[in-house]
Amino acid sequence: MSGTIWLITEDESDKVIVEALVRKKGFDIQVARLKLTGGSGGVDRLAHQLERLIRDAKDMKKPNDCIVVLHDADIHMQQSNRQTYEQIRRICKDNKVTLILARDEIEAWLLADSGICKWLGIRPRNHDEETKPKDKLNSLLDQKHNMKYRERNQEKILAHLNGDGDTHSPSMQEALQHLEDAPCTK
Amino acid sequence: MTDNLHNASETNGTEEVKPKPVLTRLRFKNWRSLRDVVIDDLQPINVFIGANSSGKTNIIDALRFYRDAQQKGLVSAVMELGYNKIQTDVLENDEDVELEFTYQLKKFSDLPITEITTLQFQKRDVPFKYGRALFEGDVLLRREVPRDLPIREGIETFSFTVTDRPPKHHHKAVAILNYLSTIAQKRWQILSENFMPPLRLSHQEGGDIYLMERDAQNTLVILNYMKQAYPELYTRLSEDLSWLLNHVVKFDVLQYHDYPRDIEAIIRENNSRIAPTISSGTARIVAMLTAIYALDMRQEINSSIDNLKLLTPEIPGLVIIEEPDTALNPGLLRKFVEQIRFYADGDNPRQFIFTTHNPLFLDYFKPEEVRVVSRDENGYTTVDRVPERVKENWLDEYGLGEVWTTNSFGGLAE
């Protein structure tokens, strides 16, 4: 019986990417997103609301479901702001919830995917350590396909996904390992 | 059975007890997307939230259908909706559509009174069957069996066979059914989501002077009658409008000297001038308040029952409004809900059912007043309460509408 990933993210676009990736990887699971109040964005808001969202997810989850917190680690952010990330990590640990971190932004996983890269005319490689992979993706989309990286275009972009970005991206590899270990994918 | 049907507010010695909600429970079976849905513990104010196409309107349409069937006859009500658009599409021929309404009617019983209307449609043929049953608690008071009715415009064959009619319950059952029918016909105000009252009416246009049309087209007709026959109610309505809308000093319905049978709504503003236009939000508020205040007008009706010949404000009223917040400024929503609470808490039993998509509107309701409408994996509508944990987990810091946007209790579009 397939389970559900209760995915807590900052942005709607993250859920769509995760959904596409788990499908490509052959996991028979649903993805339901718990959102922050007041729309997308804001790691501070995620940290502030995370415990409540986890409590809700725990209440709604069935035995073979799992809870996953996914957020961009924003590795290039100043050290002084790192305490928020540490807080999120601690909350996930205390609640025994899977935490998946994209090194800077989750779009780095798309730039490591052979299908997307072929469509964009570049070679797949690791973009985990780069700043703002979303901007790079946006620029490539604009050049090659006269397209912006917007939510409404995600379906068209993700149609080219092969789901093999983990061969180049260690952060995606780690994320998939977490998912493979989670009860909802068993 | 209590004889005085007008005395709906219950009293207990000298201490007045607030009237409980009259309609306490709804159950819909095989009605459109509602495969089998129970909505119990209805409050004085009830709000259905849910994504587009979740089934909110199907709930409202079931109530409207029941009212229309009482008003115009079952066949007309079926024809209006379309007989093939009433039942859940997967039904076999022998499955009934059931509309079950439970009331708390202290004048008749301390036990809940439940009326179940059943409809059975044939797949290939147009005739359908109709029946109904009345229960007091678990005790059957009356059952009318399904009987073939031809669906043809204008044909009303409302004869039916009463199979179970325990003699001792006969008079009580008839009195209750008449009472319920009268309440639904005359005391259920229903406004559809896109209602918009015209602000000027020519003399050719008319309409009911008590019951609001679903699109609010007869708002000025009701107001004009209220102004003449119940000036104190009319003044209170205008005062409520002024409280809700700061710019309104006075609201009025005027008849023209040249065309005395033409009427127009006007608003006098702070500068004492007449506003050149009335916004759609203001017009919708006028319609909603009119629907509510119309229930406070006494109404003589044709009834075979002596004590139902005059409907008075004390008789329960139900006001159903789809998306009342449409075209209202977010800053106005709080005052609007406060005004509704004023009506719901008043001496006369008034119940409200709203639908909305708006988290800002939802912020002003209590969790127990809110029902979450969603579709399950099979596409059927589900209706759930707001989980208790939401209160404990969130509401110390966040509004209910804000929490709804997190998807923590469903009903949100993905």
Side-chain angles (χ1 to χ4, degrees):
Chain A
M1 201 173 95
S2 66
T4 297
I5 296 177
W6 292 91
L7 186 68
I8 301 172
T9 65
E10 289 175 65
D11 291 301
E12 177 65 32
S13 58
D14 296 350
K15 182 221 169 189
V16 179
I17 294 171
V18 170
E19 213 161 28
L21 281 172
V22 296
R23 295 265 149 73
K24 275 287 169 191
K25 285 293 181 185
F27 296 129
D28 182 21
I29 45 178
Q30 305 294 314
V31 181
R33 180 182 172 228
L34 287 175
K35 312 174 191 194
L36 307 180
T37 66
S40 293
V43 73
D44 288 333
R45 198 139 39 97
L46 175 64
H48 185 65
Q49 296 176 7
L50 187 55
E51 285 198 287
R52 297 169 198 263
L53 291 166
I54 290 172
R55 277 203 291 271
D56 283 345
K58 281 183 172 173
D59 191 75
M60 290 188 283
K61 78 186 268 292
K62 297 190 176 89
N64 58 337
D65 292 354
C66 55
I67 302 167
V68 172
V69 177
L70 166 67
H71 76 96
D72 299 337
D74 300 328
I75 49 169
H76 299 94
M77 184 167 277
Q78 287 182 358
Q79 196 60 30
S80 57
N81 291 334
R82 302 309 305 172
Q83 60 202 31
T84 309
Y85 299 88
E86 181 53 32
Q87 189 187 350
I88 291 171
R89 195 194 59 75
R90 186 180 44 74
I91 292 169
C92 289
K93 190 180 172 198
D94 291 349
N95 285 280
K96 298 181 175 61
V97 163
T98 305
L99 173 65
I100 294 177
L101 291 173
R103 286 286 289 164
D104 193 57
E105 291 169 336
I106 195 173
E107 284 73 12
W109 297 356
L110 302 184
L111 291 171
D113 185 273
S114 65
I116 301 255
C117 285
K118 187 179 174 191
W119 181 59
L120 292 173
I122 59 169
R123 290 172 63 119
R125 63 176 178 84
N126 178 18
H127 292 260
D128 279 0
E129 306 303 323
E130 288 177 19
T131 312
K132 299 288 176 196
K134 191 188 281 186
D135 288 351
K136 176 158 190 175
L137 179 61
N138 197 33
S139 161
L140 287 165
L141 283 167
D142 196 22
Q143 286 168 29
K144 282 282 176 184
H145 300 287
N146 195 24
M147 184 189 279
K148 298 281 183 206
Y149 185 60
R150 296 272 186 271
E151 193 181 326
R152 64 169 295 161
N153 290 329
Q154 266 192 313
E155 200 179 327
K156 285 181 197 161
I157 298 162
L158 293 170
H160 301 277
L161 190 78
N162 276 345
D164 56 3
D166 50 325
T167 54
H168 297 286
S169 161
S171 71
M172 183 176 163
Q173 202 171 33
E174 197 179 332
L176 287 170
Q177 190 59 52
H178 278 307
L179 283 181
E180 277 169 21
D181 294 341
C184 52
T185 57
K186 299 294 178 211
Chain B
M1 189 180 76
T2 310
D3 286 328
N4 183 4
L5 289 173
H6 299 153
N7 188 15
S9 329
E10 304 300 329
T11 55
N12 177 13
T14 54
E15 189 185 344
E16 190 169 348
V17 178
K18 273 193 176 178
K20 288 187 175 177
V22 173
L23 193 57
T24 56
R25 181 179 183 271
L26 302 167
R27 182 176 178 225
F28 304 108
K29 202 172 161 195
N30 300 324
W31 173 270
R32 292 185 171 172
S33 62
L34 307 159
R35 191 76 161 108
D36 193 355
V37 166
V38 174
I39 306 162
D40 56 7
D41 196 24
L42 288 172
Q43 303 290 308
I45 299 173
N46 306 276
V47 187
F48 291 99
I49 57 160
N52 296 88
S53 299
S54 56
K56 299 185 298 296
T57 297
N58 290 345
I59 295 169
I60 304 302
D61 276 352
L63 293 161
R64 182 184 294 118
F65 171 81
Y66 176 81
R67 184 192 71 170
D68 289 353
Q70 305 297 326
Q71 277 179 351
K72 310 170 194 168
L74 190 65
V75 174
S76 296
V78 170
M79 293 299 293
E80 199 165 299
L81 278 181
Y83 75 92
N84 55 349
K85 291 183 179 171
I86 286 178
Q87 64 181 356
T88 309
D89 56 6
V90 296
L91 290 193
E92 298 300 325
N93 283 346
D94 58 351
E95 285 190 87
D96 288 343
V97 176
E98 287 184 11
L99 305 179
E100 186 176 319
F101 300 150
T102 302
Y103 304 83
Q104 196 68 53
L105 298 171
K106 286 283 172 67
K107 66 180 70 280
F108 293 107
S109 174
D110 285 336
L111 296 171
I113 302 284
T114 301
E115 183 187 6
I116 305 173
T117 302
T118 56
L119 302 162
Q120 194 181 107
F121 296 88
Q122 310 296 315
K123 280 278 181 204
R124 295 177 177 278
D125 210 354
V126 285
F128 69 99
K129 293 178 175 181
Y130 156 77
R132 64 179 175 176
L134 186 71
F135 291 86
E136 180 184 13
D138 295 332
V139 176
L140 176 71
L141 297 185
R142 186 180 174 94
R143 186 190 299 281
E144 297 159 3
V145 295
R147 184 181 172 91
D148 285 339
L149 286 177
I151 296 187
R152 248 178 264 140
E153 196 84 61
I155 292 181
E156 292 295 330
T157 48
F158 246 116
S159 58
F160 39 74
T161 309
V162 180
T163 53
D164 298 310
R165 187 182 60 185
K168 66 173 181 173
H169 298 312
H170 174 65
H171 294 295
K172 185 175 192 173
V174 170
I176 292 172
L177 285 172
N178 273 317
Y179 184 74
L180 295 180
S181 173
T182 303
I183 286 185
Q185 283 184 60
K186 305 289 184 185
R187 311 290 293 170
W188 285 15
Q189 301 279 25
I190 305 177
L191 284 167
S192 299
E193 63 182 305
N194 48 6
F195 70 90
M196 181 59 69
L199 296 166
R200 180 170 183 162
L201 282 184
S202 74
H203 67 278
Q204 295 97 334
E205 295 166 281
D208 198 287
I209 55 173
Y210 296 102
L211 205 65
M212 185 66 82
E213 289 164 15
R214 59 192 291 181
D215 53 5
Q217 293 300 298
N218 61 333
T219 300
L220 291 191
V221 177
I222 297 174
L223 279 171
N224 197 40
Y225 175 70
M226 191 187 291
K227 182 179 180 179
Q228 292 160 34
Y230 297 93
E232 74 290 355
L233 288 180
Y234 181 80
T235 303
R236 273 168 45 201
L237 187 152
S238 177
E239 286 169 358
D240 289 353
L241 200 65
S242 296
W243 181 75
L244 283 167
L245 303 164
N246 290 332
H247 68 282
V248 176
V249 170
K250 185 175 166 48
F251 168 79
D252 210 352
V253 174
L254 298 179
Q255 288 180 297
Y256 285 91
H257 291 297
D258 297 343
Y259 305 98
R261 290 169 70 191
D262 286 10
I263 47 179
E264 183 175 18
I266 62 112
I267 279 177
R268 210 170 281 282
E269 296 184 315
N270 293 328
N271 53 15
S272 85
R273 279 190 226 129
I274 290 175
T277 58
I278 294 178
S279 73
S280 54
T282 300
R284 282 172 63 94
I285 290 181
V286 168
M288 291 189 278
L289 297 192
T290 303
I292 295 164
Y293 269 102
L295 294 170
D296 288 346
M297 298 193 291
R298 298 162 77 87
Q299 182 182 2
E300 284 184 39
I301 60 168
N302 290 323
S303 172
S304 56
I305 302 174
D306 281 349
N307 46 18
L308 268 182
K309 286 185 190 299
L310 180 68
L311 299 181
T312 59
E314 293 80 17
I315 293 183
L318 174 64
V319 181
I320 300 166
I321 307 175
E322 284 189 275
E323 299 182 23
D325 52 302
T326 298
L328 300 193
N329 181 295
L332 181 57
L333 298 176
R334 181 189 59 78
K335 287 176 94 174
F336 178 76
V337 175
E338 191 174 328
Q339 186 67 47
I340 294 298
R341 291 202 185 285
F342 174 79
Y343 300 133
D345 292 343
D347 292 336
N348 299 322
R350 297 288 180 268
Q351 223 171 342
F352 294 87
I353 295 177
F354 300 135
T355 64
T356 188
H357 298 268
N358 185 348
L360 293 173
F361 189 48
L362 199 60
D363 273 345
Y364 301 110
F365 294 96
K366 301 169 193 167
E368 59 269 26
E369 294 172 330
V370 175
R371 300 306 161 103
V372 186
V373 184
S374 312
R375 297 266 188 163
D376 66 15
E377 59 275 15
N378 297 314
Y380 297 125
T381 293
T382 59
V383 181
D384 298 296
R385 293 160 185 271
V386 175
E388 197 60 30
R389 68 177 148 78
V390 167
K391 209 187 292 185
E392 299 155 8
N393 198 10
W394 289 92
L395 298 186
D396 58 332
E397 195 176 340
Y398 296 92
L400 188 59
E402 277 184 289
V403 184
W404 182 42
T405 63
T406 68
N407 201 26
S408 282
F409 54 91
L412 209 59
E414 275 295 328

